[in-house]
Amino acid sequence: MARRAGCALVVDGPWPGARVRLRVVSRSWEGVGQGRGRLRARRVEVQAGGRGAAAREHRLALWLPDAHGAVRVASPADREHAPAAPAGRAPLAVV
């Protein structure tokens, strides 16, 4: 039903038969200075891969959110701001 209506199902965890899998491969926060301050932005690197047309793996860095509360693609220069930490979560599956 969802496919006929042009929808996508996003599942947190493994889903047998998923065409595309999304996984956060690194994440970091910005804003806390030397033990004090406020978290202002979160940078994540998302890896996409799967079957068929999605078989070729892609990676994209995103701000979720940026310092202004917006979701946007992170530029390569943004990598220098905060070190990446391992994600530790199961991949998301899109079917």
Side-chain angles (χ1 to χ4, degrees):
M1 179 71 146
R3 285 185 186 160
R4 287 188 295 234
C7 298
L9 174 65
V10 178
V11 178
D12 183 7
W15 186 277
R19 291 185 186 172
V20 178
R21 287 186 172 75
L22 302 175
R23 188 170 72 109
V24 174
V25 294
S26 68
R27 63 181 176 219
S28 59
W29 285 95
E30 283 194 11
V32 176
Q34 302 179 2
R36 311 178 89 181
R38 198 175 127 193
L39 295 173
R40 300 190 184 280
R42 184 176 191 202
R43 185 183 183 282
V44 300
E45 187 173 356
V46 178
Q47 176 184 29
R51 300 182 293 143
R56 187 167 172 229
E57 186 178 289
H58 297 279
R59 286 186 180 221
L60 181 65
L62 301 168
W63 287 107
L64 297 176
D66 68 6
H68 304 288
V71 174
R72 66 178 177 88
V73 174
S75 72
D78 292 336
R79 284 180 195 237
E80 300 167 6
H81 291 8
R89 290 268 324 199
L92 293 176
V94 178
V95 290

